[in-house]
Amino acid sequence: METTLRGVGVSHGVAIGEVRHMGTAVLEPPAKQIPSDEGEREQGRARQAVEAVAADLIARGNLAGGEAQHVLEAQAMMAQDPELIADVERRIAVGSTAERGVYDAFAAYRALLANAGEYLAGRVADLDDVRNRIVARLLGVPMPGVPDSDEPYVLIARDLAPADTALLDPTLVLGFVTEEGGPTSHSAILARALGVPAVVALPGAGEIAEGTVVAVDGSTGEIFVEPSQEKRAEMESASAARRAALSAVTGPGATSDGHKVPLLANVGGPGDVPAALEAGAEGVGLFRTEFLFLDDSKQAPSEEKQVEAYRAVLEAFPEGRVVVRVLDAGADKPLEFLTPADEPNPALGVRGLRSLLDHPDVLRTQLTALSRAVEGLPVYLEVMAPMVADRADAKAFADACREAGLQAKFGAMVEIPSAALRARSILQEVEFLSLGTNDLAQYTFAADRQVGAVSRLQDPWQPALLDLVALSAEAARAEGKSCGVCGEAASDPLLACVLTGLGVTSLSMGAASIPYVRATLAKHTLAQCERAASAARAADSADEARLAAQAVLSGE
């Protein structure tokens, strides 16, 4: 009998197939004492296992490339964290085995995050995965992971670590569903990069029996268990129509009546450029430069290394627009040389622009590198600061750009409600705004963007969030300046129409989403988008807003 479940759709597309569950295993080693003369040998075993796991993660990243490579390299750094390794060795010194020392040290760090309010909760899955890989290697047992299968299937898991997601074979894994995670978790981001339909934050997904046929709609978040032949035919037909529509629409983003909406790509480095070009991106709306810094958490990359990475991206978009976000460190992206180690609440502490203003040499080097990288290139460079709270922040950033001799437009990200409320004031100092809807939702609703339990409040359709977008866009229009969106909200084709109707002037997203957004915008006039935006803002919940906008755009 067909039943319907609802999670959070995070990657477009439809998948129909039999369920296979992620392999699991109990990897808690026995708690036994070792003789004191074996401590040094056990410490050596632990170090070897850590290095082997880190090397494996880096190798997986090299195979995956693109954004997945950056994520896995960051996870390898987690495995090699000096404080964690020191804790492991302390535990071994007082009698633990290597595997038990690793297990207990990681458990202590996990508990530390939980006691801090789980502001890094979205990385707990990454931490658990690193621990499991090290312990499995020490115990000599296989690492639980993606199941072996000769036939395509829909993968179900409690959560997926980046190392699993990055190397999924799209010819076998039709789509995946997780019980935990959120729309901005690593799994969601990598699923979009792979183009695999995915639904996260679906409680009870693990209870769906192995071999059960399910139909997954990665756009709506709906899961149909044992779908009828009629439902399967309906979804397959809709999927085929969607693919046909995607291939039929090409060129720059625009509404059906010719209102231009540039469609840009979010990238983490040169490895993401080919996919952006293939999708027809008109430029880059968010160049996340922090991945370059995460290669070594102890020191900033040299100016030369930065110039090389920036120029590789800038050269790919001649006559195009490239918006670079300066280093956004802190919270779930701590850097030893930049961010405080003892903040009780990192997401609300010294992060983003605040960190850079505390370390002006790091900001100056990055701005100088960008200035050198763009020399002689016919590209439109724009540089923006993360976590701008007010006009004083915006002025400090613009002054730093001018002092570095940077020939570019300077902008501010709107990720804090105060920035949206006072957008017109901020625009006295900078030339454009870019809305980071992921963090803006987090701070608007006091809902950690990585915690699946509060994913309802991370839904970019929340009317309160749309109000803040509208305030920012109205301020930019009044000042004759631009206001784009570079958060994951832009990757939702229906919401892209609403954002256009709110006055947003450009949309930036993962490359895989660009064709969907282009095709959907091309079906509607600007006036329809504006009516859909008004209907969505008049609603009282995210679900109601989505349905109201859908009704307007479908002509109901």
Side-chain angles (χ1 to χ4, degrees):
M1 176 178 169
E2 179 181 311
T3 57
T4 305
L5 305 174
R6 182 75 176 266
V8 178
V10 296
S11 185
H12 302 299
V14 169
I16 302 175
E18 292 188 359
V19 163
R20 296 287 182 272
H21 286 271
M22 175 71 80
T24 58
V26 177
L27 288 175
E28 180 175 358
K32 65 180 183 180
Q33 291 291 106
I34 60 169
S36 58
D37 60 355
E38 293 184 14
E40 190 172 336
R41 178 179 67 83
E42 290 295 289
Q43 288 176 341
R45 287 182 63 228
R47 285 192 294 270
Q48 288 174 2
V50 165
E51 292 304 319
V53 166
D56 178 62
L57 290 168
I58 291 171
R60 286 169 176 259
N62 290 337
L63 284 172
E67 187 148 3
Q69 182 173 3
H70 302 304
V71 172
L72 291 173
E73 286 173 352
Q75 201 178 11
M77 286 173 52
M78 185 183 290
Q80 297 170 305
D81 182 271
E83 290 188 16
L84 265 174
I85 293 173
D87 191 19
V88 171
E89 293 186 342
R90 281 193 296 269
R91 293 172 187 275
I92 294 173
V94 295
S96 287
T97 61
E99 46 266 39
R100 189 71 206 189
V102 168
Y103 186 88
D104 290 340
F106 274 76
Y109 187 51
R110 198 182 199 281
L112 182 65
L113 296 184
N115 289 335
E118 293 206 52
Y119 287 97
L120 305 184
R123 301 301 174 257
V124 166
D126 301 6
L127 186 71
D128 289 346
D129 181 59
V130 170
R131 177 203 63 202
N132 286 347
R133 290 177 184 278
I134 297 171
V135 172
R137 181 171 288 274
L138 288 165
L139 290 175
V141 300
M143 176 65 200
V146 178
D148 290 328
S149 175
D150 295 329
E151 298 296 326
Y153 59 92
V154 173
L155 180 63
I156 291 184
R158 182 181 63 82
D159 203 349
L160 283 170
D164 294 317
T165 316
L167 296 183
L168 289 179
D169 182 351
T171 64
L172 284 176
V173 181
L174 302 171
F176 70 74
V177 181
T178 65
E179 293 192 62
E180 299 182 0
T184 57
S185 66
H186 276 154
S187 294
I189 292 170
L190 294 179
R192 285 188 285 270
L194 287 167
V196 176
V199 173
V200 301
L202 180 66
E207 298 172 13
I208 301 174
E210 186 92 1
T212 302
V213 174
V214 296
V216 179
D217 190 325
S219 299
T220 66
E222 291 175 304
I223 309 293
F224 300 95
V225 182
E226 298 287 9
S228 65
Q229 288 299 321
E230 291 78 9
K231 173 59 70 175
R232 293 176 68 165
E234 174 190 330
M235 294 184 71
E236 288 170 346
S237 174
S239 181
R242 187 181 296 170
R243 288 194 299 272
L246 294 181
S247 60
V249 181
T250 58
T255 58
S256 62
D257 55 341
H259 175 73
K260 293 183 179 180
V261 187
L263 302 181
L264 312 170
N266 296 341
V267 305
D272 294 333
V273 168
L277 293 172
E278 185 179 350
E282 297 168 57
V284 173
L286 173 61
F287 182 177
R288 301 183 180 96
T289 60
E290 59 269 18
F291 287 113
L292 184 62
F293 288 75
L294 289 171
D295 285 345
D296 184 351
S297 67
K298 295 181 181 179
Q299 62 181 4
S302 68
E303 184 177 316
E304 292 300 326
K305 183 175 181 180
Q306 292 189 54
V307 170
E308 182 182 357
Y310 303 151
R311 195 169 179 89
V313 174
L314 292 167
E315 286 177 333
F317 294 95
E319 304 298 335
R321 175 186 178 199
V322 175
V323 184
V324 177
R325 180 176 69 190
V326 294
L327 176 61
D328 183 16
D332 63 341
K333 294 169 286 190
L335 293 170
E336 288 182 35
F337 67 88
L338 196 68
T339 49
D342 56 352
E343 286 187 306
N345 193 331
L348 300 181
V350 182
R351 63 167 295 196
L353 180 61
R354 299 168 187 175
S355 294
L356 293 173
L357 294 179
D358 281 351
H359 297 80
D361 54 324
V362 176
L363 177 58
R364 188 181 308 111
T365 298
Q366 185 170 24
L367 294 175
T368 302
L370 284 165
S371 182
R372 289 178 55 197
V374 77
E375 286 178 1
L377 296 180
V379 65
Y380 298 96
L381 175 64
E382 301 185 8
V383 182
M384 61 185 181
M387 301 300 293
V388 170
D390 56 16
R391 182 172 179 173
D393 277 352
K395 183 179 187 305
F397 177 66
D399 287 346
C401 290
R402 282 188 284 267
E403 288 169 11
L406 185 60
Q407 299 298 309
K409 285 187 175 182
F410 317 140
M413 289 200 70
V414 178
E415 302 166 282
I416 305 173
S418 64
L421 294 168
R422 301 289 295 170
R424 196 159 184 180
S425 172
I426 287 171
L427 283 166
Q428 304 310 303
E429 305 293 343
V430 295
E431 299 172 81
F432 69 93
L433 300 177
S434 183
L435 288 140
T437 52
N438 303 341
D439 268 323
L440 186 58
Q442 171 173 250
Y443 293 121
T444 299
F445 296 103
D448 193 316
R449 57 184 283 190
Q450 304 295 347
V451 177
V454 293
S455 60
R456 175 181 73 84
L457 297 171
Q458 270 293 323
D459 193 327
W461 281 94
Q462 286 284 357
L465 188 65
L466 299 180
D467 288 344
L468 292 176
V469 173
L471 279 174
S472 303
E474 288 164 7
R477 183 166 54 247
E479 294 294 327
K481 297 180 179 180
S482 62
C483 176
V485 168
C486 64
E488 291 300 324
S491 65
D492 179 335
L494 185 64
L495 185 52
C497 294
V498 168
L499 295 172
T500 298
L502 292 174
V504 166
T505 55
S506 65
L507 300 166
S508 188
M509 65 209 77
S513 299
I514 291 175
Y516 291 91
V517 173
R518 181 189 292 119
T520 305
L521 277 174
K523 292 192 295 186
H524 304 289
T525 65
L526 177 59
Q528 286 176 308
C529 292
E530 290 171 341
R531 288 197 297 273
S534 296
R537 289 183 69 189
D540 290 319
S541 71
D543 286 342
E544 289 177 11
R546 184 184 289 105
L547 290 172
Q550 195 168 31
V552 170
L553 294 175
S554 62
E556 295 177 7

